[in-house]
Amino acid sequence: MGAKFSSAVNVLVQEKSVSSVEIGVFFSLFYVAISFSQVITGPLTDIFGRNRYMIIGLLVTIAGIIIAPVLSMPLVLLALTVASLGMGTFHLASMGFLNEIVPDYLKGTISGAYYFFWGIGMFFGPPIIAKISICTSFKVSMTGYSLFILLVAIGLMISSRYKAEIK
């Protein structure tokens, strides 16, 4: 998901003609939103479970991503901030989930693997999204990206219902 935010800078500059100050505001809002959502989400996932917050985080991310390309400044920053809140919620809940399902001796390994694959997405995601945007449009690429995230959310919903039926 971080790939979307890395590639968003290029789009903001090219399609929305934002200034360097507005790019700084974008990154500030991005990191503040992620941090805020993780501080709030942490205790909630401890009480209510990780799975529902992974799903909520994905759905909030989709909402921000899907609407951002059609908005103008400064509303596009608001939409991307909402997406950042969802992303922070998903990341915290998914990291907690992974650490719950592995034995103690693998917790560091799973955290390292999590960030390794996150890094791969941050490295390869922006060029892929940019290439799709060039071949189609930014709106189409973000719609496709949102649909991909939606499939993941639906998979989590189905798997959580399946687990509930087994118990």
Side-chain angles (χ1 to χ4, degrees):
M1 281 193 280
K4 191 277 177 234
F5 294 96
S6 296
S7 61
V9 173
N10 290 333
V11 173
L12 289 173
V13 170
Q14 291 174 357
E15 290 192 16
K16 306 293 183 187
S17 300
V18 300
S19 68
S20 58
V21 171
E22 291 168 318
I23 294 297
V25 169
F26 162 73
F27 277 115
S28 295
L29 290 171
F30 171 69
Y31 288 112
V32 167
I34 286 176
S35 300
F36 179 75
S37 68
Q38 290 178 344
V39 168
I40 299 300
T41 303
L44 293 173
T45 64
D46 291 339
I47 296 168
F48 299 110
R50 316 276 186 228
N51 199 52
R52 83 176 52 188
Y53 285 94
M54 288 191 296
I55 295 166
I56 289 168
L58 290 173
L59 295 176
V60 171
T61 300
I62 292 167
I65 289 173
I66 197 100
I67 196 166
V70 298
L71 298 174
S72 59
M73 291 298 287
L75 290 177
V76 69
L77 292 178
L78 178 63
L80 293 173
T81 301
V82 167
S84 301
L85 288 167
M87 190 169 76
T89 299
F90 172 78
H91 283 300
L92 183 119
S94 62
M95 179 65 81
F97 174 78
L98 286 175
N99 276 288
E100 284 178 349
I101 64 172
V102 299
D104 285 343
Y105 68 91
L106 289 177
K107 291 192 186 301
T109 302
I110 198 68
S111 295
Y114 185 95
Y115 281 107
F116 174 74
F117 287 106
W118 176 80
I120 288 173
M122 288 293 286
F123 182 78
F124 290 110
I128 292 169
I129 290 173
K131 190 68 169 174
I132 294 169
S133 294
I134 290 167
C135 293
T136 58
S137 72
F138 183 65
K139 291 175 186 174
V140 170
S141 70
M142 289 300 98
T143 300
Y145 188 54
S146 296
L147 290 174
F148 176 73
I149 295 171
L150 181 61
L151 288 175
V152 173
I154 290 169
L156 285 171
M157 288 178 215
I158 291 169
S159 70
S160 66
R161 285 193 178 149
Y162 180 70
K163 286 182 214 172
E165 290 175 9
I166 292 173
K167 293 179 183 179

